[in-house]
Amino acid sequence: MKWFGLSKDDIPQRVLRVLLALTVVVFMAFFLIGYSHPYAENPDFIEPKLTSVLLIFMLLVVMGAVAAAIWAIVSSMRRRNGTSQSANGVPATAIAVSVVLLTTLTLVASFLAGSNAAMQVNGVEYKEDAWLRTADMFVFSSIGLMVVATAVVAVATIRSHFKNRSK
């Protein structure tokens, strides 16, 4: 099946490359165009000119990721109706359940471990417990899940290397 002249296997690679290029462009623009712009109400603080562009871009990326995840779940459930729970010897269902459980466990654990100590940002004190813990949850979860993803890729690469070497 071809979609815009691309095979089904080429689409994720192209999407990744486009998303990576857009991310690089948006972040470079954010830091290079008016980053040191002084804040109008208090010149001691900076207000980068492209903050709204960066926030909108990140919101669109998150919304796209959520939409892609929902689409993947729905299409996977439609395809599975009565079929095997592994594809080509890969335990797809076990992997999917593991990812959901690990992500949920990471979010809950990092929320509970998050700090509720008040913070001062741009002269304003933030001390609402739930939001402070939520911010820590996303920071800690992102770091933890990146470490886990890196470890999984490293183990798979090493395993593949040794498997190909023994042939």
Side-chain angles (χ1 to χ4, degrees):
M1 179 180 128
K2 295 257 184 187
W3 193 57
F4 291 111
L6 299 170
S7 72
K8 183 173 77 171
D9 298 332
D10 292 337
I11 293 171
Q13 189 70 23
R14 293 281 175 101
V15 169
L16 179 64
R17 288 181 179 161
V18 167
L19 188 58
L20 186 62
L22 282 172
T23 302
V24 168
V25 168
V26 168
F27 274 91
M28 284 180 63
F30 176 76
F31 286 111
L32 296 176
I33 300 173
Y35 180 75
S36 299
H37 183 260
Y39 184 51
E41 293 181 21
N42 186 349
D44 293 337
F45 300 120
I46 62 167
E47 179 185 28
K49 287 184 176 182
L50 297 181
T51 301
S52 59
V53 172
L54 181 64
L55 290 173
I56 291 168
F57 176 71
M58 296 310 293
L59 180 64
L60 291 173
V61 168
V62 169
M63 288 173 28
V66 169
I70 290 170
W71 175 78
I73 290 169
V74 169
S75 64
S76 174
M77 289 180 152
R78 283 185 184 166
R79 268 185 273 139
R80 188 180 305 153
N81 291 338
T83 61
S84 170
Q85 296 194 2
S86 67
N88 299 327
V90 176
T93 302
I95 291 172
V97 169
S98 299
V99 167
V100 169
L101 289 175
L102 176 66
T103 304
T104 303
L105 180 66
T106 302
L107 288 170
V108 170
S110 60
F111 180 82
L112 294 174
S115 171
N116 62 350
M119 292 177 60
Q120 189 144 4
V121 179
N122 287 342
V124 178
E125 187 174 20
Y126 293 94
K127 53 187 172 184
E128 189 172 326
D129 183 58
W131 285 116
L132 290 166
R133 287 181 184 271
T134 301
D136 276 354
M137 174 186 74
F138 285 118
V139 171
F140 294 155
S141 295
S142 298
I143 292 169
L145 291 172
M146 281 190 273
V147 168
V148 169
T150 303
V152 168
V153 168
V155 167
T157 302
I158 291 169
R159 200 181 267 175
S160 173
H161 175 72
F162 283 117
K163 192 178 203 179
N164 291 339
R165 198 173 190 194
S166 64
K167 287 184 179 181

